[in-house]
């Protein structure tokens, strides 16, 4: 319901008046702009300090990465910290179990990132992307952390491994390559071997690549 | 524009509620301008104008039951020895948060009921907001001058979703904790600033630093976000009072002395006090009764089934609550793209499928929803609601959007879809011949996996909304051409605009 009365009276004003008005208007706008910038800077500097404080106080737990979770010679242990022997899974069964790196001084280093899947198939079953030198007696080990959204790949679909969150399927006899689903990368393999006495499973190196969606 | 109520307009303010001593006492001190009590609530033959009230009351019930739960909950991830009634965990070490929720559920009088009411009220809060927004959308009630309130409402919907997410983790059971870790990872999938956002919001790594994250989420869930929701609800209500309700034109009946049927500068309806208040109380009691009924008969989130959080395992068929199922569906249906490495490094090293499905597409959806009044922009102020049949394009878009969200939600439950398909193909194979051949061609001989339903779901999720929207659009615009009618609410707005000039 606005009317145009104010605008129409403008036309009757002398030229100089309008120019001066424009100048005043420009000055006002400039003053508003600078006041706005100054205000935003004042409030913003407080906000940035607050945010920086909150960010620095966040507990970023895991300093481990794929190169340090396991190193050459790290024993594989089960959830209770017992070292895993070569008879842990039935030969050729295709069964899986969760294993973890052994902490210094014993016990399992149990976090979401360190969880590892031990599988055992026939030795002849492996091929393709699986590094056969990194398997031993039909055992192979992969990170259990899905490369899509970081869930634990704790389901099965036939011989394949399936992530319960978004149904990515990985083939453990073919380097845990993605068979279907949204995961972008294979589950990284862990090189494993046996101890000198031939009884226990150990890592012979670190994971081949980053754990989970991003590190 | 002024309010016209059928029986409250003749009285003088001095004489109002003269028999109410409470009113007189307050009026003497506060000089009440009681036009507010006469606010007109338009006639509504569908009851759809009450959906907003249902979500308002759900929020009130959430606050009340949440206060009860908040007094008894212990926001701590420290391990304690469980000594409550659930035999399964007797003597075991469980997180204190999990133990306290078990205590609320199984040891505290009335605790189970109120916890279930809280959970169901959260469902109803989101559902009623969704339906309320559909009502507003399809009747075009978001049009000029009510764009701002539509945006406030959109914000309420999404902040409501976030509030539900924050509450999901608090019992610290394995199911909720897994869903939370998916959300935690999603926050990390925001390009470049993901890591900072993740730690700013959660306050630590989930679930490894749960002892820092659980108290943070408790604070957000019970204080900061509810405060924000309450504030936005207040803004929503103030805008509603300031701008007045829209009115269904067809519900207005000509009567002597009243405004004309086409005149949109009035709102005709029953006054807030005393008529509408009775309806409102009825809605509140029905909401409360429904929630207790649902809580009593359909328990949700039964913690002992999942047990306490275990970061080294993920429960089977894990999923979010239904209101996040569409995001979950996006996560499942967006495939891994070619050139993953190149795109990923361009986005600062995030997982591309996770970024697209969990961040980009939901954000685009939210932005389109919130800014829709500027897409379907109305030059003139419109005060009547529209009949969806009269608006081919917006109605078609609305139908397409609803189908899209439904298809995504079905995609989020793809494991269930695979089970149903397995039953269907099994039944089909029983007929032999071409039927069995078809079943084998579709799913192979190794049983139905989620991989088999992936492509059909992807095609349907993209295709079905488009097909349905086109059908709706073609049918409605042909009807409009045949009848030669235009939207009466726009016509009334046009008349009002020309009269002003």
């Amino acid at each position: 319901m606005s009317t145009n009365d104010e605008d129409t009276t403008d036309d009757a004003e002398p030229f100089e008046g309008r120019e001066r008005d424009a100048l005043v208007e420009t000055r006002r706008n400039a003053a508003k702009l600078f006041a706005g910038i100054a205000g935003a800077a004042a409030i913003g500097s407080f906000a940035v300090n607050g945010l920086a404080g909150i960010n620095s106080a966040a507990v970023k737990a895991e300093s481990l990465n794929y190169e340090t979770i396991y190193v050459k010679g790290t024993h594989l242990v089960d959830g209770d910290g017992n070292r895993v022997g070569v008879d842990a899974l039935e030969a050729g069964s295709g069964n899986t179990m969760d294993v973890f790196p052994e902490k210094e001084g014993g016990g399992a280093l149990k976090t979401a990132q360190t969880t590892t899947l031990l599988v055992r198939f026939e030795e002849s079953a492996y091929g393709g992307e699986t590094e056969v030198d990194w398997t031993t007696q039909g055992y192979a080990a992969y990170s259990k952390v899905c490369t899509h959204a970081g869930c634990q790949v704790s389901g099965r679909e036939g011989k394949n491994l399936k992530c319960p969150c978004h149904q990515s399927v990985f083939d453990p006899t073919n380097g845990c390559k993605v068979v279907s689903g949204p995961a972008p990368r294979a589950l990284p393999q862990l090189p494993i071997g046996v101890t000198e006495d031939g009884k226990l499973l150990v890592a012979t190196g670190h994971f081949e690549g980053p754990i989970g969606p991003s590190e | 524009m002024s309010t016209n109520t059928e029986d409250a307009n003749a009285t003088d303010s001095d004489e109002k509620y003269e028999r109410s001593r409470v009113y007189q006492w307050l009026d003497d001190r506060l000089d009440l301008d009681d036009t507010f009590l006469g606010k007109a609530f338009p006639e509504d033959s569908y009851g759809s104008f009450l959906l907003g009230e249902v979500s308002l009351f759900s929020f009130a019930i959430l606050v009340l039951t949440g206060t009860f739960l908040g007094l008894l909950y212990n926001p701590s991830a420290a391990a304690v020895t469980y000594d409550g009634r659930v035999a399964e965990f007797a003597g075991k070490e469980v997180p204190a948060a999990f133990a306290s929720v078990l205590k609320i559920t199984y040891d505290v009088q009335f605790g189970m009921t109120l916890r279930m009411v809280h959970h169901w009220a959260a469902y109803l809060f989101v559902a009623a907001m969704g339906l309320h927004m559909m009502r507003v959308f399809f009747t075009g009630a978001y049009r000029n001058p009510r764009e701002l309130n539509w945006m406030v409402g959109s914000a309420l919907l999404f902040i409501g979703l976030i509030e539900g997410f924050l509450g999901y983790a608090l019992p610290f059971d394995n199911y909720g904790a897994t869903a939370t870790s998916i959300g935690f990872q999603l926050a990390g999938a925001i390009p470049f600033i993901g890591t900072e956002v993740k730690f700013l919001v959660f306050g630590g790594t989930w679930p490894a630093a749960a002892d820092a994250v659980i108290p943070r989420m408790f604070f957000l869930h019970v204080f900061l976000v509810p405060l924000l929701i309450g504030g936005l609800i207040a803004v929503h209500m103030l805008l509603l009072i300031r701008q007045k309700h829209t009115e269904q034109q067809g519900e207005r009946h000509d009567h002597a002395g009243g405004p004309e049927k086409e005149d949109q500068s009035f709102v005709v309806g029953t006054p807030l006090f005393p008529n509408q208040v009775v309806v409102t109380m009825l809605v509140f009691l029905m909401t409360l009764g429904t929630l207790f009924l649902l809580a009593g008969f359909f328990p949700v989130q039964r913690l002992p089934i999942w047990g306490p959080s275990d970061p080294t395992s993920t429960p089977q068929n894990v999923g979010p609550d239904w209101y996040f199922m569409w995001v979950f569906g996006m996560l499942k249906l967006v495939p891994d793209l070619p050139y993953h490495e190149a795109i990923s490094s361009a986005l600062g090293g995030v997982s591309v499928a996770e970024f697209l499905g969990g961040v980009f597409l939901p954000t685009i959806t939210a932005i389109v929803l919130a800014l829709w009044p500027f897409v379907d922009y109305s030059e003139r102020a419109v005060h009547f609601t529209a009949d969806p049949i009269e608006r081919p394009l917006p109605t078609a878009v609305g139908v397409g959007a609803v189908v899209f969200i439904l298809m995504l939600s079905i995609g989020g439950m793809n494991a269930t879809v695979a089970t149903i398909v397995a039953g269907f193909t099994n039944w089909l194979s029983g007929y032999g011949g071409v039927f069995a051949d078809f079943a084998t061609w579709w799913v192979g001989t190794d049983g139905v996996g989620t991989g088999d339903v992936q492509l059909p779901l992807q095609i349907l999720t993209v295709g079905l909304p488009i097909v349905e929207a086109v059908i709706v659009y073609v049918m409605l615009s042909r009807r409009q051409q045949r009848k030669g009618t235009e939207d009466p609410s726009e016509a009334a707005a046009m008349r009002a605009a020309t009269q002003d000039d």
Side-chain angles (χ1 to χ4, degrees):
Chain A
M1 279 201 294
S2 70
T3 59
N4 294 328
D5 291 350
E6 295 89 343
D7 296 341
T8 46
T9 51
D10 250 16
D11 291 358
E13 272 185 39
F15 180 72
E16 297 81 20
R18 265 174 36 199
E19 198 172 48
R20 196 170 59 241
D21 280 356
L23 193 66
V24 168
E25 191 68 11
T26 312
R27 281 180 184 161
R28 273 192 191 142
N29 283 340
K32 278 182 201 162
L33 177 69
F34 290 127
I37 291 172
I43 295 169
S45 55
F46 280 104
V48 165
N49 273 309
L51 289 176
I54 296 169
N55 192 35
S56 68
V59 184
K60 293 162 191 171
E62 288 158 44
S63 55
L64 291 171
N65 62 42
Y66 74 96
E67 287 174 318
T68 55
I69 291 173
Y70 288 93
V71 292
K72 190 170 164 31
T74 306
H75 279 278
L76 307 189
V77 296
D78 65 16
D80 298 324
N82 306 313
R83 290 180 174 178
V84 176
V86 290
D87 54 355
L89 294 169
E90 200 185 318
S93 60
N95 288 343
T96 68
M97 69 179 287
D98 290 355
V99 295
F100 304 90
E102 188 180 42
K103 276 195 284 203
E104 274 182 59
L109 180 57
K110 237 176 138 173
T111 75
Q113 294 292 93
T114 62
T115 315
T116 313
L117 261 176
L118 190 64
V119 298
R120 192 172 193 188
F121 289 93
E122 295 290 349
E123 277 180 65
S124 57
Y126 295 102
E129 302 286 315
T130 302
E131 192 71 56
V132 183
D133 288 350
W134 294 351
T135 69
T136 179
Q137 300 179 20
Y139 283 106
Y142 300 96
S143 165
K144 200 184 173 191
V145 186
C146 185
T147 51
H148 176 231
C151 296
Q152 301 289 338
V153 183
S154 48
R156 295 298 292 269
E157 190 169 279
K159 72 164 182 164
N160 291 338
L161 308 171
K162 181 166 133 185
C163 178
C165 286
H166 309 101
Q167 275 83 31
S168 291
V169 178
F170 304 90
D171 181 355
T173 58
N174 186 19
C176 269
K177 251 180 83 173
V178 184
V179 179
S180 66
R185 289 184 291 115
L187 300 177
Q189 190 183 350
L190 175 73
I192 53 171
V194 290
T195 47
E196 277 178 22
D197 58 8
K199 286 181 185 163
L200 297 172
L201 292 174
V202 289
T204 56
H206 57 70
F207 275 117
E208 63 174 329
I211 308 297
S214 55
E215 269 197 340
Chain B
M1 183 168 159
S2 64
T3 302
N4 176 27
T5 58
E6 286 180 23
D7 51 4
N9 53 359
T11 48
D12 186 22
S13 69
D14 291 338
E15 297 165 9
K16 265 184 184 169
Y17 314 110
E18 59 185 358
R19 278 175 296 179
S20 165
R21 290 179 59 196
V22 176
Y23 182 83
Q24 294 301 341
W25 191 89
L26 287 172
D27 193 30
D28 288 346
R29 281 150 187 84
L30 303 174
D31 192 19
L32 297 176
D33 179 14
D34 45 38
T35 52
F36 169 67
L37 291 176
K39 173 177 165 46
F41 283 73
E43 289 283 320
D44 165 29
S45 53
Y46 311 113
S48 62
F49 276 46
L50 299 175
L51 284 165
E53 286 185 28
V54 172
S55 46
L56 176 68
F57 296 141
S58 302
F59 181 70
I61 294 164
L62 279 169
V63 171
L64 293 174
T65 52
T67 305
F68 173 85
L69 297 173
L71 291 172
L72 299 172
Y73 173 73
N74 180 3
S76 158
V80 294
T81 310
Y82 181 69
D83 59 354
R85 276 194 194 160
V86 185
E88 199 181 337
F89 302 110
K92 286 190 183 158
E93 296 252 304
V94 294
F98 184 75
S100 74
V101 180
L102 282 185
K103 187 180 171 192
I104 292 170
T105 314
Y106 297 102
D107 295 86
V108 175
Q109 269 184 28
F110 220 45
M112 167 82 99
T113 314
L114 287 179
R115 195 167 85 80
M116 293 301 154
V117 170
H118 191 72
H119 212 105
W120 273 108
Y123 286 172
L124 187 63
F125 181 50
V126 177
M129 278 197 289
L131 291 172
H132 172 61
M133 285 188 91
M134 277 192 218
R135 197 283 292 172
V136 170
F137 183 92
F138 284 111
T139 61
Y142 55 79
R143 287 174 295 182
N144 183 356
R146 293 179 179 77
E147 304 97 330
L148 195 59
N149 226 10
W150 170 266
M151 288 194 284
V152 173
S154 307
L156 274 169
L157 179 72
F158 286 102
I159 294 170
L161 292 182
I162 291 169
E163 174 71 347
F165 171 79
L166 291 170
Y168 214 52
L170 292 184
F172 206 32
D173 60 307
N174 204 19
Y175 198 87
T178 302
T180 306
S181 75
I182 296 174
F184 182 72
Q185 294 291 343
L186 283 188
I190 303 169
F192 307 113
I193 57 165
T195 315
E196 277 71 28
V197 169
K198 201 160 75 169
F199 287 117
L200 272 179
V201 174
F202 289 83
T205 313
W206 179 268
D211 46 354
V213 181
I214 291 268
R216 168 73 63 89
M217 294 189 93
F218 181 61
F219 173 74
L220 293 175
H221 180 75
V222 305
F223 178 74
L224 206 56
V225 180
L227 196 70
L228 194 60
I229 292 178
L232 282 175
I233 289 177
V235 173
H236 202 62
M237 298 289 96
L238 284 172
L239 284 172
L240 171 74
I241 293 161
R242 178 82 181 143
Q243 298 189 314
K244 299 180 175 60
H245 273 84
T246 51
E247 186 184 347
Q248 291 170 20
Q249 200 175 355
E251 288 301 305
R252 185 183 286 185
H253 306 289
D254 284 325
H255 58 89
E260 283 177 35
K261 207 164 178 179
E262 283 81 28
D263 187 354
Q264 67 159 13
S265 63
F266 287 88
V267 183
V268 179
T270 45
L272 172 62
F273 188 84
N275 311 41
Q276 189 65 28
V277 163
V278 179
V279 178
T280 300
M281 285 196 292
L282 206 66
V283 172
F284 177 75
L285 292 174
M286 281 179 72
T287 307
L288 192 66
T290 308
L291 287 175
F292 270 87
L293 197 75
L294 289 167
F297 285 101
F298 306 101
V300 276
Q301 214 191 19
R302 290 173 289 175
L303 304 178
I305 296 176
W306 310 110
S309 166
D310 173 11
T312 66
S313 87
T314 297
Q316 294 305 308
N317 289 326
V318 69
D321 270 335
W322 61 268
Y323 47 79
F324 269 121
M325 204 51 93
W326 60 284
V327 180
F328 207 54
M330 281 179 177
L331 275 173
K332 284 182 176 180
L333 294 179
V334 172
D336 179 39
L337 298 176
Y339 307 110
H340 178 270
E341 292 303 321
I343 304 172
S344 175
S345 60
L347 292 171
V350 299
S351 164
V352 178
E354 201 187 6
F355 162 69
L356 281 179
V359 179
F360 184 72
L361 292 175
T363 310
I364 292 290
T365 311
I367 289 174
V368 170
L369 183 79
L371 297 184
W372 177 256
F374 301 98
V375 178
D376 174 35
Y377 188 70
S378 212
E379 291 287 338
R380 290 172 292 272
V382 188
H383 297 296
F384 283 125
T385 61
D387 186 339
I389 300 269
E390 309 279 1
R391 289 162 27 93
L393 188 61
T395 302
V397 170
V399 169
V402 171
V403 175
F404 184 54
I405 295 296
L406 284 179
M407 278 313 302
L408 283 171
S409 303
I410 293 172
M413 299 180 281
N414 61 352
T416 313
V417 174
T419 311
I420 294 169
V421 169
F424 175 68
T425 50
N426 208 12
W427 169 78
L428 213 55
S429 312
Y431 286 89
V434 285
F435 297 109
D437 291 343
F438 173 74
T440 315
W441 168 79
W442 185 7
V443 297
T445 50
D446 57 343
V448 181
T450 46
D452 294 315
V453 295
Q454 183 79 350
L455 187 64
L457 280 175
Q458 285 168 333
I459 293 170
L460 285 174
T461 305
V462 177
L464 208 57
I466 297 174
V467 170
E468 301 226 356
V470 168
I471 291 174
V472 168
Y473 180 72
V474 169
M475 285 175 69
L476 291 188
S477 34
R478 285 187 62 180
R479 173 188 181 276
Q480 212 168 32
Q481 279 167 9
R482 199 171 63 239
K483 297 211 161 186
T485 54
E486 64 166 324
D487 178 3
S489 62
E490 288 281 2
M494 171 93 93
R495 259 194 308 280
T498 46
Q499 275 165 16
D500 280 350
D501 291 346

